[in-house]
Amino acid sequence: MPKDTDSGERILVVDDDRDIVATLRIQLEKEGYLVKCAYDGQEALDVLSTEDIHLILMDVMMPRLDGFSTIMKIREKRNIPILVMSAKTEESDKILGLSIGADDYISKPFNYKEVMARVKSQLRRYMQLGGIDYVQDEVQLGRLRYDFAAHVLTVDGEPVKLTSTEMKITELLIRHPGRIFSAEEIYSAVWKEDVAYSGENTVMVHIRRIREKIEINPSEPEYLKVVWGIGYKFEKK
């Protein structure tokens, strides 16, 4: 029988492997947590629309909507802790997961005691902050303002017309001002696939187009900057 808890934290487990979901549910319920389950990213979003969830354990490779895409959608509105579970062990995948909003990364196959320890750590930190699940409505950087709900970028109060791809790149970078994203991370997050041969040049072209729309002098950008040999960032203001 699950242990009683005073806080009644609810955890959402998301994985298309039903055996993993079932095992995690048993382990989490033994610790006294209330557990909800989903088997792809879209199901996870459906659960979040109706349930009060305090932490998510999220697989990466899933049908309909993968884990990385799901995290990006969740982070448009929610600040709850997300622990990524993945058999993909490449360092770039871990960096991408953390860059787009995951709080921790657990490689499969995992030790269930380690999973429980990380769950407790993330929940403790989250609840110490009052369990505040904020909605990040907008970011203001000097003359720039990005409205995440409307997906609108304005410069000096005037809306900027961005293509769908330019908008996705802008949202990724402006959500984390000062953080440097490599071209590979941007490509993976926006195009949802491994970096192609021309991936770095593709990102560079889109960055240049965004600069032409937002910078007074695109050749000497004030906001969207390159960190040579590393990547791109929106400058903190």
Side-chain angles (χ1 to χ4, degrees), residues 75-94:
R75 284 294 180 247
E76 290 177 3
K77 299 181 178 179
R78 311 288 293 273
N79 192 42
I80 52 180
I82 301 175
L83 279 67
V84 170
M85 308 179 294
S86 178
K88 300 178 72 175
T89 57
E90 289 84 353
E91 193 66 25
S92 60
D93 291 316
K94 294 182 180 180

Side-chain angles (χ1 to χ4, degrees), residues 17-237:
D17 188 323
R18 291 177 179 266
D19 290 337
I20 288 178
V21 173
T23 303
L24 280 169
R25 181 171 195 165
I26 291 170
Q27 297 294 327
L28 289 164
E29 288 182 342
K30 283 182 179 178
E31 296 295 324
Y33 299 115
L34 303 173
V35 182
K36 297 293 179 178
C37 304
Y39 303 99
D40 61 51
Q42 187 56 56
E43 282 189 20
L45 295 177
D46 292 342
V47 172
L48 286 169
S49 69
T50 60
E51 299 284 344
D52 184 17
I53 300 296
H54 301 101
L55 181 141
I56 304 171
L57 285 164
M58 177 80 69
D59 185 32
V60 171
M61 303 299 291
M62 294 184 294
R64 288 215 293 174
L65 192 65
D66 65 81
F68 289 150
S69 300
T70 306
I71 291 171
M72 292 181 71
K73 287 183 175 294
I74 292 171
R75 284 294 180 247
E76 290 177 3
K77 299 181 178 179
R78 311 288 293 273
N79 192 42
I80 52 180
I82 301 175
L83 279 67
V84 170
M85 308 179 294
S86 178
K88 300 178 72 175
T89 57
E90 289 84 353
E91 193 66 25
S92 60
D93 291 316
K94 294 182 180 180
I95 293 172
L96 174 60
L98 296 171
S99 297
I100 63 176
D103 296 280
D104 205 350
Y105 195 104
I106 304 169
S107 297
K108 294 179 179 179
F110 41 70
N111 181 295
Y112 286 97
K113 289 184 178 180
E114 179 185 358
V115 175
M116 294 306 118
R118 295 194 184 197
V119 165
K120 290 177 182 178
S121 175
Q122 290 294 334
L123 277 173
R124 187 182 309 114
R125 186 179 309 163
Y126 178 61
M127 300 312 289
Q128 283 175 348
L129 295 173
I132 300 172
D133 188 9
Y134 71 83
V135 176
Q136 187 178 21
D137 291 323
E138 63 182 55
V139 168
Q140 182 83 41
L141 296 177
R143 298 182 300 108
L144 308 185
R145 176 181 176 272
Y146 194 87
D147 184 326
F148 288 98
H151 301 287
V152 172
L153 175 70
T154 57
V155 179
D156 293 327
E158 295 296 323
V160 177
K161 189 174 182 180
L162 298 173
T163 67
S164 174
T165 299
E166 290 167 357
M167 184 183 301
K168 290 175 182 177
I169 293 173
T170 299
E171 286 192 356
L172 176 64
L173 299 183
I174 206 168
R175 191 182 293 276
H176 308 280
R179 180 183 294 181
I180 303 168
F181 289 82
S182 70
E184 290 82 2
E185 290 169 348
I186 296 171
Y187 191 91
S188 295
V190 173
W191 278 267
K192 304 295 188 302
E193 59 186 43
D194 293 334
V195 180
Y197 176 75
S198 60
E200 187 170 343
N201 287 335
T202 300
V203 171
M204 182 175 63
V205 168
H206 283 84
I207 292 290
R208 185 176 70 243
R209 290 175 179 168
I210 296 171
R211 279 178 176 163
E212 290 171 352
K213 296 179 179 182
I214 69 173
E215 302 284 359
I216 294 175
N217 182 359
S219 62
E220 296 182 7
E222 181 182 1
Y223 294 98
L224 184 47
K225 296 192 174 184
V226 60
V227 181
W228 293 108
I230 303 178
Y232 304 93
K233 68 173 181 176
F234 262 104
E235 191 70 79
K236 288 183 177 180
K237 290 291 179 180

